[in-house]
Amino acid sequence: MLLFTGVRLILFRNSPNVFLRVTSTSYFSNNKQNFFNHVPINRRIFDIVPKRYHPYLHLSRWDKPTGSWLLYWPGAWSIAFGATSLIPDIRLLCLFGVGAVLLRGAGCTINDLWDKDFDRHVERTKTRPLATGQLTTSQAVTWLGIQLSLGFLILIQLNWPSIVLGVLSLIPVLFYPTMKRFTYWPQFFLGMTFSWGALMGYTAATGTLNLAIIIPLYFAGIAWTLHYDTIYGHQDKSDDILIGVKSTALRLGNDTKLWLRTFSTVMLSHLLTTGLVVGQTWPYYLGLVGVGYHLHKQIETVNLNDASSCWKAFSSNRITGWIIFGSILAGNALR
């Protein structure tokens, strides 16, 4: 890819088309330089695992743990809501943590299997193992099977209602990656996938399927996903236009911050509802005020035209998860 002052010329290697795009920013890039080198990489796992297995870890995004945290939190909140004492079930929290890593890795593998041809033409994703040929499709499918098998071993440690819910979670996991081809709202379907733990955590902790509690929590998770993944999607909007995939970042455009406030409000209202149904105490509601302020600061400070700023705001949602979890525990202390 060649980038000139004011004009970006992108040539897709496998396409006869040449796209000429005028921009207001100047960059220089080549195949040896990663435009998104601001993204933090956790290298410790790569110091332990032999180098020949590194492409598998990259395929599952083990070098970028933020996604695993975001998948984990709705389940952890749900477990905490179902706790009968100050401290939630540590065993369940650990099982859900390992399960989140495995399910997120499986989801990323499925996503890359669907999108490997697209990924070659997007700056942020062109170095992924399937896009570069470091892994073959059959190797990726084998790795997917390993992750799902390990995830199943985690799942069968839970009670039967949770096991049934866990098996059903594979439906959105399998089909979410296709949504960006058909709708400008793939983030909604990602929210359905990433918030599934909200349905399972309380059920695993109590053995009961209490819809009055888990449904509002589930929708809070969906609204949260719409918030943070719309911010995330603004990193790729130029490339998404060129290759013809859809996202809320493209659909909402200049109105994105107004919609982010809407998503945050919906999230908080459903968390409020969940707290009222459970019978939470004042520390929980005080914590929600802190959550609202944290989300407000994200919206106010993020520059949606700067990839580094978008990544920083997206990653800070790990803190959002911690605040909510701590608020539930504090509320539990006075119940």
Side-chain angles (χ1 to χ4, degrees), residues 81-219:
F81 274 126
T84 56
S85 62
L86 175 61
I87 305 299
D89 190 323
I90 301 299
R91 173 178 171 273
L92 274 181
L93 289 173
C94 292
L95 287 174
F96 270 63
V98 176
V101 172
L102 291 170
L103 185 60
R104 190 256 183 150
C108 290
T109 302
I110 294 170
N111 182 79
D112 286 10
L113 283 166
W114 279 106
D115 287 354
K116 60 183 179 179
D117 293 329
F118 286 146
D119 286 345
R120 295 187 181 104
H121 306 309
V122 176
E123 187 67 32
R124 185 177 56 84
T125 62
K126 68 180 183 181
T127 59
R128 288 178 177 174
L130 284 171
T132 59
Q134 296 176 68
L135 293 177
T136 65
T137 298
S138 61
Q139 287 173 319
V141 170
T142 300
W143 177 233
L144 173 63
I146 292 172
Q147 293 174 97
L148 291 177
S149 297
L150 292 174
F152 182 73
L153 293 178
I154 297 294
L155 182 63
I156 60 176
Q157 307 303 311
L158 308 180
N159 52 38
W160 273 108
S162 302
I163 291 174
V164 173
L165 286 171
V167 172
L168 292 175
S169 73
L170 292 178
I171 297 173
V173 169
L174 288 172
F175 290 102
Y176 154 69
T178 67
M179 292 298 106
K180 69 186 72 173
R181 294 163 170 80
F182 305 113
T183 175
Y184 279 101
W185 293 89
Q187 279 75 14
F188 177 80
F189 295 94
L190 179 65
M192 293 178 62
T193 305
F194 262 48
S195 304
W196 204 269
L199 305 177
M200 295 179 60
Y202 188 91
T203 306
T206 65
T208 60
L209 193 67
N210 192 326
L211 298 181
I213 294 172
I214 62 177
I215 293 300
L217 188 59
Y218 181 57
F219 281 106

Side-chain angles (χ1 to χ4, degrees), residues 11-317:
L11 176 62
F12 287 176
R13 184 177 300 174
N14 296 325
S15 169
N17 300 315
V18 175
F19 297 90
L20 185 65
R21 184 176 181 81
V22 178
T23 69
S24 59
T25 311
S26 301
Y27 298 105
F28 173 77
S29 175
N30 56 46
N31 289 334
K32 295 181 180 180
Q33 181 182 15
N34 184 357
F35 177 72
F36 285 85
N37 58 9
H38 62 272
V39 177
I41 302 297
N42 185 344
R43 301 300 305 177
R44 285 173 292 182
I45 187 67
F46 291 89
D47 296 332
I48 300 171
V49 176
K51 191 172 182 179
R52 65 181 179 274
Y53 298 121
H54 287 188
Y56 294 96
L57 303 186
H58 283 298
L59 184 63
S60 296
R61 316 286 198 274
W62 283 17
D63 55 328
K64 299 185 177 87
T66 297
S68 296
W69 278 108
L70 298 178
L71 178 61
Y72 173 66
W73 279 127
W77 303 338
S78 193
I79 292 169
F81 274 126
T84 56
S85 62
L86 175 61
I87 305 299
D89 190 323
I90 301 299
R91 173 178 171 273
L92 274 181
L93 289 173
C94 292
L95 287 174
F96 270 63
V98 176
V101 172
L102 291 170
L103 185 60
R104 190 256 183 150
C108 290
T109 302
I110 294 170
N111 182 79
D112 286 10
L113 283 166
W114 279 106
D115 287 354
K116 60 183 179 179
D117 293 329
F118 286 146
D119 286 345
R120 295 187 181 104
H121 306 309
V122 176
E123 187 67 32
R124 185 177 56 84
T125 62
K126 68 180 183 181
T127 59
R128 288 178 177 174
L130 284 171
T132 59
Q134 296 176 68
L135 293 177
T136 65
T137 298
S138 61
Q139 287 173 319
V141 170
T142 300
W143 177 233
L144 173 63
I146 292 172
Q147 293 174 97
L148 291 177
S149 297
L150 292 174
F152 182 73
L153 293 178
I154 297 294
L155 182 63
I156 60 176
Q157 307 303 311
L158 308 180
N159 52 38
W160 273 108
S162 302
I163 291 174
V164 173
L165 286 171
V167 172
L168 292 175
S169 73
L170 292 178
I171 297 173
V173 169
L174 288 172
F175 290 102
Y176 154 69
T178 67
M179 292 298 106
K180 69 186 72 173
R181 294 163 170 80
F182 305 113
T183 175
Y184 279 101
W185 293 89
Q187 279 75 14
F188 177 80
F189 295 94
L190 179 65
M192 293 178 62
T193 305
F194 262 48
S195 304
W196 204 269
L199 305 177
M200 295 179 60
Y202 188 91
T203 306
T206 65
T208 60
L209 193 67
N210 192 326
L211 298 181
I213 294 172
I214 62 177
I215 293 300
L217 188 59
Y218 181 57
F219 281 106
I222 292 175
W224 186 40
T225 308
L226 282 163
H227 169 86
Y228 65 67
D229 207 61
T230 297
I231 295 173
Y232 184 90
H234 273 272
Q235 297 178 104
D236 298 331
K237 54 191 176 184
S238 296
D239 288 324
D240 287 348
I241 291 172
L242 290 173
I243 63 179
V245 297
K246 301 174 175 63
S247 72
T248 51
L250 295 179
R251 174 64 180 84
L252 305 180
N254 293 332
D255 294 327
T256 290
K257 290 200 174 186
L258 175 62
W259 279 89
L260 293 179
R261 293 185 182 93
T262 301
F263 299 148
S264 300
T265 301
V266 172
M267 174 192 179
L268 289 168
S269 65
H270 281 86
L271 288 173
L272 176 64
T273 301
T274 306
L276 291 172
V277 174
V278 171
Q280 270 290 352
T281 57
W282 67 264
Y284 171 72
Y285 301 108
L286 182 62
L288 292 187
V289 174
V291 173
Y293 177 75
H294 179 68
L295 295 175
H296 167 74
K297 291 297 291 183
Q298 282 185 29
I299 296 169
E300 288 298 309
T301 58
V302 66
N303 180 353
L304 297 173
N305 294 313
D306 179 76
S308 178
S309 179
C310 289
W311 177 262
K312 182 179 178 181
F314 166 77
S315 298
S316 71
N317 280 281

